[in-house]
Amino acid sequence: MVPIVEISELYFSYDNKNLAINNLNLTIYEKEWVCILGHNGSGKSTLAKLLIGLLEPLKGAIKVNGKILSQDTVYDIRRETGIVFQNPDNQFVGSTVADDIAFGMENQQISREEMKERIDKYIRKVRMEAYLQHEPHLLSGGQKQRVAIAGALAMNTKILIFDEATSMLDPQGREDINTLIQELKNDGDKTIISITHDINEAMLADRVIVMKDGTVMTAGSPAEILKDEALMNDCGLDVPLTVKLSQELKKYNIIDDIYVKQEDLVNSLWEYNLKK
Amino acid sequence: MGIQFEKVNYLYARGTSQEKAALIDIDLAIDLHGFIAIIGHTGSGKSTLIQHMNAILQPTSGVVRILDKTIVGGKKNRDINIVRKRVGLVFQFPEYQLFEETVEKDIMFGPLNFGVSKEDAALKAREALKWVGLEQDFLSRSPLNLSGGQMRRVAIAGILAMEPDVLVLDEPTAGLDPQGQKEMMEMFYNLYVNQHKTIILVTHDMNFVAQYAKRIIVLNDGRIVYDGDTWDLFANYELIKKYHLDLPDITKLIIDIENKLGIKLDHKINTVENLAQALVQALGGANHAR
Ligand SMILES: Nc1ncnc2c1ncn2[C@@H]1O[C@H](COP(=O)(O)OP(=O)(O)OP(=O)(O)O)[C@@H](O)[C@H]1O
Ligand SMILES: Nc1ncnc2c1ncn2[C@@H]1O[C@H](COP(=O)(O)OP(=O)(O)O)[C@@H](O)[C@H]1O
Ligand SMILES: [Mg+2]
Ligand SMILES: [Mg+2]
């Protein structure tokens, strides 16, 4: 496993009083899909902004793709790191959806034709092809999120950061994006860092990172992390339905394990039903 | 009384190349004291519809009756301020609603605007902040320097402080952490049960819909395509498929179990405890062998 983001002893404060990031250490590996969970105000968005050099740490080091983040490297790092912000309105610059996506590719040094191809490709992936000539600010909330995602994807960067990028998508839209992430992972060299409150999305990730009060509480596989009820409650989170049902069924001795994945829970029930 | 829509149409960007019929022939009657969910794909018209409920948007044609006020499409409608006090709307993006220098001033804005004294407004601000799960030290902070979820909480507090009869909520749990989502929905439900408020909720979370809303309205391309009992909709797989809707997690789990085990379960089971009991029964009782 090759590290692509390495963060050590990171501190940040907005007001020189409260630490929004408080001794955070984290390594993310190439081609990983990690989900970052955490309570409101735990520092997730702050971390994302530090990663692309929009905020400057008080202390600590960030290394992205082998380069230590500094004034000399920040533009290189941004060229390799696409981000979708929590509120897409803060991100739109073009006066049409097409312009907006093109704008993101401006410093990627690619031809006009290639740009056009990518716009066409990614706007279709998010099912917004009918809106290319519309003004981004006048779209519905979920449509804005779709366009912002298409814009980040079109930049074809090695690293993609989604900050609650699907929070206003309808269920089908969310599924589309999760499938898309899977595709990107399978046929490319992309690393995806997804900040989310959606436990069902976290279940699909390679690794889950839990933040609390500006630091990483714990990290591990979804199966490991998401069944830890005490931890989840302590961090403003919740365990998945599968875990809750496992706990209930254990009381009746129908199963002996706590399952996170629905498939595993259902299989265990199936086996019990055969044996009994 | 309540809120009624009669043949309501709404056009954005009328007369331009981007003209968009966001609402088409909407007929709708909402009585006071209900808990109603509005769902539909992105761009289906949910936000447009609910912004008519406190006259932030007025119909291009048709009539909207809000409590005792009638809003006629295409006319100048006066004295709508009273409607804004009685029907509180929380916007999809909290940023649209926050503009004062401090959280305290922001939450006090509504009550002050509707004639509450400064002292009372300040009290209401403190109370509302508690309801949305924020500490009192947020009062002096700038609302624009908050995390996304904190902003959402302040925006909701601002509407709660006005004590409206009808609360219209546009995706109010987006951006909240899972515990915050649960607490916020519980709070809305309590307002409905204990204070007889009317709650109108736009959401993509079918778990909350199943848990709290008796009635559900489905929008598709600007039209109402379903208006009725929530659980009847979730049992109607044809409609669910046709409009690309989702089922609650528990229903999906029940269907998965049925298919794999070849057993039958009640699809309307709505709590983990009840599902566990139904399963134990279907599988021949608790296992005493181990
Ligand atoms: N611009 C700012 N100025 C001052 N404080 C800020 C600013 N932005 C965020 N904060 C504070 O920093 C802390 C971390 O905020 P951050 O936005 O990183 O949280 P988050 O984990 O992304 O939360 P959410 O889930 O609500 O989006 C919070 O206490 C927040 O109030
Ligand atoms: N201010 C606006 N100007 C032009 N079109 C708009 C505006 N706001 C929304 N629309 C369009 O109207 C339709 C319905 O939007 P909206 O009610 O926000 O959808 P929803 O809330 O269901 O996602 C969408 O196609 C959207 O692009
Ligand atoms: Mg955030
Ligand atoms: Mg909307």
Side-chain angles (χ1 to χ4, degrees):
Chain A
M1 290 205 297
V2 184
I4 188 151
V5 174
E6 294 161 272
I7 302 168
S8 58
E9 294 174 35
L10 193 68
Y11 292 83
F12 175 81
S13 174
Y14 286 100
D15 55 8
N16 290 317
K17 207 168 74 206
N18 302 298
L19 290 170
I21 296 294
N22 188 356
N23 191 14
L24 185 142
N25 295 279
L26 177 65
T27 304
I28 293 168
Y29 300 92
E30 236 176 46
K31 301 182 201 179
E32 243 194 330
W33 172 6
V34 298
C35 271
I36 302 184
L37 306 177
H39 63 84
N40 290 138
S42 58
K44 306 177 297 294
S45 299
T46 306
L47 174 63
K49 287 176 194 156
L50 285 160
L51 271 180
I52 57 164
L54 279 183
L55 298 173
E56 210 180 312
L58 277 179
K59 257 198 317 201
I62 298 176
K63 213 162 151 189
V64 179
N65 209 5
K67 295 188 247 332
I68 292 177
L69 179 63
S70 70
Q71 293 201 328
D72 297 334
T73 57
V74 66
Y75 290 101
D76 287 342
I77 289 177
R78 279 192 204 157
R79 214 169 301 142
E80 292 158 1
T81 314
I83 186 163
V84 181
F85 288 111
Q86 193 161 359
N87 180 348
D89 270 332
N90 300 337
Q91 192 158 9
F92 294 131
V93 283
S95 59
T96 66
V97 165
D99 280 355
D100 194 78
I101 301 176
F103 193 86
M105 291 185 275
E106 220 79 297
N107 43 20
Q108 302 291 90
Q109 281 132 11
I110 50 173
S111 67
R112 283 268 139 208
E113 291 75 55
E114 164 95 31
M115 259 195 202
K116 217 186 144 311
E117 263 169 45
R118 286 201 205 165
I119 294 174
D120 282 349
K121 175 171 169 195
Y122 290 106
I123 205 70
R124 261 193 211 125
K125 293 254 187 213
V126 299
R127 303 184 202 246
M128 283 293 289
E129 58 273 25
Y131 290 84
L132 276 174
Q133 297 314 318
H134 283 239
E135 191 178 329
H137 290 283
L138 298 183
L139 297 173
S140 82
Q143 291 170 337
K144 284 177 185 171
Q145 287 193 323
R146 288 171 191 255
V147 170
I149 291 170
L153 291 175
M155 286 170 63
N156 194 22
T157 53
K158 258 186 110 157
I159 305 170
L160 268 167
I161 305 175
F162 289 155
D163 190 354
E164 298 187 38
T166 60
S167 65
M168 289 168 187
L169 291 195
D170 53 50
Q172 192 193 26
R174 274 190 199 201
E175 205 179 297
D176 284 351
I177 301 303
N178 287 339
T179 312
L180 206 65
I181 293 180
Q182 206 84 58
E183 273 173 34
L184 289 174
K185 258 182 58 75
N186 291 346
D187 56 34
D189 55 351
K190 299 240 185 303
T191 306
I192 290 122
I193 304 172
S194 176
I195 297 169
T196 184
H197 293 300
D198 182 353
I199 302 287
N200 289 335
E201 184 196 331
M203 284 209 249
L204 303 172
D206 298 322
R207 201 152 60 102
V208 173
I209 290 160
V210 179
M211 283 187 66
K212 188 189 174 196
D213 297 335
T215 194
V216 172
M217 283 293 280
T218 182
S221 71
E224 225 179 305
I225 302 286
L226 298 177
K227 71 176 168 200
D228 189 339
E229 195 172 22
L231 171 82
M232 291 286 121
N233 287 341
D234 185 43
C235 296
L237 308 171
D238 196 10
V239 296
L241 177 68
T242 45
V243 171
K244 291 180 190 160
L245 185 62
S246 303
Q247 288 167 344
E248 282 298 311
L249 290 172
K250 249 182 110 172
K251 292 186 196 157
Y252 299 98
N253 277 327
I254 301 245
I255 57 172
D256 344 272
D257 249 327
I258 300 289
Y259 297 98
V260 168
K261 272 207 193 141
Q262 184 148 319
E263 201 189 337
D264 297 342
L265 172 61
V266 175
N267 272 331
S268 159
L269 283 170
W270 177 71
E271 274 171 29
Y272 177 83
N273 195 34
L274 282 186
K275 275 191 279 180
K276 74 149 205 273
Chain B
M1 285 283 252
I3 300 177
Q4 286 99 36
F5 286 63
E6 285 163 26
K7 289 265 160 300
V8 168
N9 289 279
Y10 187 79
L11 292 178
Y12 282 111
R14 200 171 171 185
T16 74
S17 62
Q18 294 192 15
E19 183 173 289
K20 166 89 197 169
L23 295 179
I24 304 162
D25 283 341
I26 300 289
D27 282 311
L28 177 63
I30 293 173
D31 294 332
L32 288 184
H33 193 219
F35 197 121
I36 299 172
I38 299 177
I39 69 168
H41 60 81
T42 47
S44 58
K46 304 178 296 295
S47 297
T48 309
L49 178 75
I50 64 165
Q51 286 176 73
H52 281 75
M53 295 182 181
N54 78 343
I56 295 254
L57 294 180
Q58 300 190 10
T60 307
S61 67
V63 174
V64 181
R65 285 180 228 284
I66 310 166
L67 307 173
D68 38 24
K69 182 86 205 154
T70 302
I71 311 275
V72 182
K75 291 239 166 69
K76 260 238 163 310
N77 294 285
R78 291 175 203 286
D79 304 322
I80 44 180
N81 213 26
I82 181 70
V83 166
R84 303 259 161 87
K85 182 196 168 345
R86 295 189 58 197
V87 182
L89 182 118
V90 178
F91 282 102
Q92 183 162 5
F93 290 100
E95 286 88 343
Y96 292 175
Q97 196 165 323
L98 304 172
F99 48 84
E100 294 277 1
E101 315 140 44
T102 67
V103 166
E104 181 175 34
K105 282 189 185 165
D106 228 308
I107 305 179
M108 283 168 66
F109 180 85
L112 285 178
N113 198 23
F114 297 118
V116 171
S117 75
K118 235 181 153 172
E119 295 74 55
D120 281 351
L123 272 176
K124 283 186 203 296
R126 282 176 169 65
E127 191 149 351
L129 207 57
K130 262 187 241 152
W131 284 341
V132 297
L134 290 178
E135 304 289 335
Q136 298 293 313
D137 55 8
F138 275 90
L139 283 172
S140 58
R141 303 238 340 232
S142 158
L144 297 178
N145 290 348
L146 298 176
S147 81
Q150 291 164 345
M151 271 188 216
R152 166 80 63 199
R153 289 169 197 252
V154 172
I156 294 173
I159 299 302
L160 291 176
M162 288 172 20
E163 302 179 332
D165 302 323
V166 181
L167 271 159
V168 185
L169 307 157
D170 201 349
E171 305 193 29
T173 56
L176 294 186
D177 55 47
Q179 240 167 56
Q181 295 184 18
K182 277 206 303 198
E183 287 163 8
M184 205 62 85
M185 289 304 302
E186 271 302 307
M187 183 196 59
F188 294 141
Y189 192 67
N190 279 330
L191 288 173
Y192 159 66
V193 173
N194 300 324
Q195 297 189 29
H196 298 270
K197 306 272 186 206
T198 303
I199 310 286
I200 298 166
L201 169 75
V202 173
T203 185
H204 293 302
D205 191 325
M206 295 310 128
N207 300 320
F208 289 137
V209 171
Q211 205 176 343
Y212 296 110
K214 183 138 176 35
R215 175 175 170 196
I216 189 168
I217 294 166
V218 183
L219 279 176
N220 188 64
D221 289 337
R223 291 174 202 272
I224 292 180
V225 293
Y226 181 91
D227 179 356
D229 181 79
T230 300
W231 281 98
D232 287 348
L233 174 69
F234 289 145
N236 189 335
Y237 298 125
E238 249 166 66
L239 276 189
I240 296 284
K241 240 176 120 177
K242 181 167 175 201
Y243 296 117
H244 304 286
L245 306 177
D246 200 17
L247 291 171
D249 286 340
I250 195 159
T251 318
K252 286 191 274 192
L253 179 55
I254 288 171
I255 293 172
D256 247 20
I257 294 173
E258 282 187 334
N259 289 342
K260 179 85 186 184
L261 276 66
I263 58 174
K264 278 265 148 237
L265 295 164
D266 178 1
H267 283 202
K268 294 192 178 181
I269 292 175
N270 198 14
T271 67
V272 176
E273 292 76 18
N274 290 349
L275 176 55
Q277 273 165 22
L279 268 171
V280 170
Q281 210 165 43
L283 299 176
N287 181 5
H288 301 295
R290 292 190 252 181

